[in-house]
Amino acid sequence: MGDSTRRGRIRYGTLENEVVAYAKRKREEEDDDDAMTSTAVDSLIDIPEAAAAVRPGANIDLDQIDEILDESQDQQLNDEALETRRRAMAEFDRKRIARTIAVPTNDMQVKEALRKYGHPICLFGEDAGDRRDRLRYILSKQAIERRNAGQEDISAKEDDMENEVSSDEEKEEFYTEGSDMLLQARQNIARKSLLHARQRVEQQQKDCQVDLATIRQLRENLVDQLRKYTIVGSQVGDSRPLSRIAFSLDSSQVLVGSWTGSIKLWDIPGCQMAQLYRGHTDRVGGLSFHPQAGQGDSRVDFASGASDNEIFLWSLGKDTPIGQLKGHQSRVVHVEHHPSGDYLGSASYDGSWRLWDIASEKELLLQEGHSREVFALRFQCDGSLVATAGLDGIGRVWDLRSGRSIMELEGHAKEIFGLDWSPNGYQLATGSADNTMHIFDLRKIASIHQIPAHKSMVTDVRYFHFGGNSKAHTSCDMDMDVSGDQNVDDHEQARLCSGQYLASASNDGLINIWTAGDWKLQKSLAGHVGKVLSVDIARDGSYIASTGFDKTFKLWKADDLLQL
């Protein structure tokens, strides 16, 4: 066999002199080119320890060659694994950012956005959902690029930020001068709220004189009635999901708002439509009856807010708005009448809540204070306080007489979508996307109870606020023999039950009924297919109503009240 054949192969045993000389020349050439060795002999010669061990006439340590090769391969695999892991983490980060990006649901708006960013408005085989996903992907990539570009300037800005911390803290709280109308409104609210508070406290003092046995019997009867609630009516309300429902003052009708922008008035329990109201062009978010609706004392019977940024004032007898409140820059998700009937509160996605004068249709107050969108707003029964909450997961209680924030409702881990005051005036409940409800007490300035309410986000919370007439059949009606001078009629029984229970709605498809005080679940009402978006309790306690993503509203009632 020739020399060329021997130089091209390495055999087990002795390494010949010619092979060693060839390897040295090869190493010198590769050193000059600054390239890495690619054969087993080259790798052996590149390592000093291995080269020292190789001498003419000596044997090759095969185990040492294997270890060198293994280390080289492991290093290459480690580099590949690190690169794979880096790319995976970058993709996870992009998806996380993509979930926070709001993409239009209108296909034309999606196409306009794609054209704006220089991308094709349509790809072969792509439907509207695919286009939305593609737009979200593009926006997430741009967000990452902007963030990475901004990181280069972070170190330079940190010093400036540290110098501005003290001045920023001083600027965090600020005041703006209010109008004369706002001053008059605050004075009016102070006078009326003090009167209502005095009446409430006097009534609570009288209730304390009721015999404990009577209170216990009322409570037992209430629990028994709540456990008998069942569905008594269901009606398809529109072609899109129904977002809000509200009982009339006499509990004989319900207003239902839809994602189409329409509002319908329904007679109950027959579920016959009495009136259709047209004005909004996008989903209705808030509905509120005027405290004197239908009594002839006010030309405005109810108010509504919607995603078209508009607030409309309505009369029950007219199918078009009789008034309009303009000012919000984004979606209006909640409206609520002040107990006096003179003012209206609204919560919006523009990050503010506002107070309006109904008579003049003018904005009295634009209040900021939430770091994100405001979703819920409720007035306390006296009218002196208002509670707001939103997507920042924080609620706030505001004193309307002074304009100050007097309490923060902290404890939820996610967004707050519902809240309501108890008729006792000092407690309120909040419902959140963390699937829980919190009960806050103003006297303790803290959360006094946390309820694991549902298996999905809580969308609405509502206390029973008694306001019916003495002939109403309520959940507290019962045959009762009361000894002594006390005589508790049906009207008084229902009034004593005011605030003794509340209902919560959730995306898990359930409406849960809870008793106040012990905060125990008494009944879960299942009937909706999918998410439940809103819940309300009739003022006489006769019905619970709910709306859902299944485009229906449903009525619930205790079994033994069905024949009444």
Side-chain angles (χ1 to χ4, degrees):
M1 185 175 296
D3 292 343
S4 60
T5 304
R6 288 196 298 270
R7 282 194 293 268
R9 300 176 61 184
I10 297 178
R11 299 178 178 276
Y12 297 122
T14 302
L15 189 66
E16 298 182 1
N17 296 335
E18 294 83 350
V19 177
V20 174
Y22 172 80
K24 288 182 179 180
R25 289 194 304 272
K26 186 67 174 178
R27 183 185 63 183
E28 292 173 355
E29 294 173 359
E30 292 176 349
D31 288 342
D32 294 338
D33 297 336
D34 291 330
M36 300 198 51
T37 57
S38 59
T39 63
V41 174
D42 298 333
S43 299
L44 179 62
I45 296 174
D46 280 343
I47 300 175
E49 293 83 354
V54 178
R55 297 184 305 273
N59 293 332
I60 295 177
D61 190 346
L62 299 180
D63 293 335
Q64 188 176 17
I65 294 178
D66 292 338
E67 290 176 0
I68 295 171
L69 294 176
D70 290 342
E71 290 177 0
S72 176
Q73 293 174 355
D74 289 345
Q75 181 63 33
Q76 183 179 1
L77 292 174
N78 289 337
D79 293 342
E80 294 177 354
L82 289 174
E83 179 64 19
T84 302
R85 183 176 181 276
R86 186 191 64 78
R87 292 179 180 176
M89 294 302 296
E91 180 65 14
F92 288 148
D93 188 35
R94 187 199 63 78
K95 290 182 178 180
R96 178 185 61 79
I97 294 176
R99 287 194 295 268
T100 64
I101 295 176
V103 177
T105 57
N106 185 286
D107 192 44
M108 291 302 298
Q109 295 178 356
V110 173
K111 291 180 179 179
E112 291 176 1
L114 289 171
R115 183 181 291 110
K116 175 183 176 182
Y117 293 112
H119 290 266
I121 63 173
C122 185
L123 298 179
F124 179 76
E126 185 180 56
D127 59 12
D130 296 333
R131 269 189 295 276
R132 292 184 72 246
D133 293 339
R134 183 158 61 90
L135 176 59
R136 181 177 284 108
Y137 176 82
I138 294 169
L139 295 176
S140 64
K141 295 288 286 186
Q142 292 181 352
I144 291 176
E145 292 175 359
R146 288 194 300 268
R147 184 190 64 183
N148 293 338
Q151 286 179 350
E152 298 176 358
D153 300 331
I154 289 178
S155 58
K157 293 180 180 179
E158 284 180 349
D159 296 336
D160 297 337
M161 292 177 61
E162 290 177 357
N163 296 330
E164 296 176 358
V165 167
S166 57
S167 59
D168 289 341
E169 291 177 350
E170 294 175 358
K171 296 178 183 178
E172 183 176 355
E173 186 173 336
F174 63 93
Y175 298 90
T176 56
E177 184 177 357
S179 63
D180 292 337
M181 289 186 63
L182 177 59
L183 176 60
Q184 296 174 5
R186 293 198 190 280
Q187 294 172 345
N188 184 39
I189 289 173
R191 286 192 296 267
K192 292 185 177 181
S193 63
L194 287 173
L195 177 61
H196 292 163
R198 184 182 300 112
Q199 295 173 348
R200 173 175 57 83
V201 172
E202 290 175 354
Q203 186 61 59
Q204 289 174 346
Q205 292 174 346
K206 291 180 182 179
D207 293 344
C208 292
Q209 305 302 319
V210 179
D211 184 72
L212 183 59
T214 303
I215 298 297
R216 183 181 296 111
Q217 191 172 358
L218 278 169
R219 179 77 171 194
E220 292 175 355
N221 179 76
L222 173 63
V223 172
D224 182 62
Q225 297 297 324
L226 294 178
R227 292 175 177 173
K228 295 179 180 179
Y229 263 78
T230 186
I231 188 169
V232 296
S234 179
Q235 178 66 47
V236 176
D238 206 6
S239 59
R240 296 194 68 192
L242 306 181
S243 53
R244 189 69 63 178
I245 192 166
F247 275 102
S248 62
L249 302 185
D250 60 1
S251 304
S252 64
Q253 295 177 314
V254 290
L255 273 176
V256 179
S258 167
W259 280 15
T260 62
S262 66
I263 303 171
K264 297 179 182 179
L265 182 68
W266 300 83
D267 294 324
I268 57 173
C271 297
Q272 298 295 321
M273 189 177 73
Q275 183 71 49
L276 171 63
Y277 304 95
R278 297 183 182 276
H280 290 294
T281 58
D282 205 345
R283 63 184 68 180
V284 176
L287 290 174
S288 175
F289 272 102
H290 192 279
Q292 290 86 40
Q295 300 177 7
D297 298 331
S298 174
R299 71 182 185 94
V300 176
D301 290 320
F302 70 94
S304 64
S307 295
D308 54 11
N309 308 350
E310 301 288 353
I311 300 174
F312 288 143
L313 306 178
W314 306 80
S315 174
L316 288 173
K318 296 183 178 180
D319 60 356
T320 56
I322 61 173
Q324 185 177 11
L325 306 178
K326 289 188 175 182
H328 280 296
Q329 303 300 312
S330 187
R331 171 185 175 189
V332 181
V333 288
H334 203 97
V335 294
E336 177 86 352
H337 279 92
H338 187 268
S340 67
D342 298 330
Y343 313 105
L344 184 77
S346 60
S348 171
Y349 265 37
D350 61 11
S352 71
W353 68 269
R354 308 192 186 203
L355 187 68
W356 310 82
D357 181 76
I358 295 178
S360 63
E361 299 182 7
K362 291 184 178 180
E363 178 187 294
L364 298 176
L365 173 67
L366 187 159
Q367 182 64 64
E368 299 176 335
H370 290 273
S371 60
R372 292 189 61 189
E373 296 88 340
V374 185
F375 200 90
L377 176 146
R378 295 283 186 186
F379 290 104
Q380 186 231 25
C381 56
D382 298 336
S384 59
L385 306 176
V386 61
T388 60
L391 305 190
D392 56 1
I394 300 293
R396 289 184 179 272
V397 179
W398 308 83
D399 189 337
L400 292 173
R401 300 163 295 185
S402 65
R404 293 181 177 270
S405 174
I406 63 173
M407 180 178 175
E408 290 189 359
L409 310 178
E410 297 180 320
H412 285 293
K414 294 184 178 180
E415 301 91 339
I416 299 176
F417 291 109
L419 62 81
D420 194 23
W421 286 90
S422 170
N424 62 25
Y426 53 83
Q427 289 181 341
L428 65 150
T430 58
S432 169
D434 60 10
N435 309 348
T436 69
M437 292 195 304
H438 279 255
I439 309 299
F440 294 89
D441 194 313
L442 266 65
R443 301 170 301 178
K444 298 183 179 180
I445 317 180
S447 172
I448 61 173
H449 198 80
Q450 179 179 353
I451 306 173
H454 291 271
K455 296 181 180 179
S456 186
M457 61 185 291
V458 181
T459 56
D460 203 5
V461 178
R462 195 67 172 157
Y463 272 96
F464 167 49
H465 294 257
F466 176 71
N469 55 60
S470 59
K471 296 182 180 181
H473 297 285
T474 74
S475 297
C476 297
D477 289 348
M478 65 181 180
D479 296 328
M480 229 172 84
D481 294 328
V482 181
S483 60
D485 297 333
Q486 298 182 18
N487 183 18
V488 183
D489 58 12
D490 290 348
H491 181 276
E492 188 69 6
Q493 293 172 31
R495 190 189 61 75
L496 290 172
C497 288
S498 183
Q500 293 302 306
Y501 67 96
L502 65 158
S504 62
S506 171
N507 279 359
D508 62 8
L510 298 177
I511 301 101
N512 287 344
I513 306 176
W514 311 83
T515 46
D518 57 5
W519 314 112
K520 290 184 178 180
L521 176 63
Q522 302 299 338
K523 183 73 173 182
S524 288
L525 306 177
H528 283 283
V529 180
K531 306 172 183 177
V532 183
L533 302 180
S534 176
V535 66
D536 196 16
I537 304 177
R539 291 167 61 88
D540 63 1
S542 56
Y543 292 97
I544 293 177
S546 59
T547 60
F549 208 77
D550 56 4
K551 310 172 188 175
T552 69
F553 73 90
K554 301 185 185 298
L555 299 176
W556 315 83
K557 192 174 184 178
D559 280 337
D560 55 2
L561 296 179
L562 297 182
Q563 72 275 13
L564 298 177

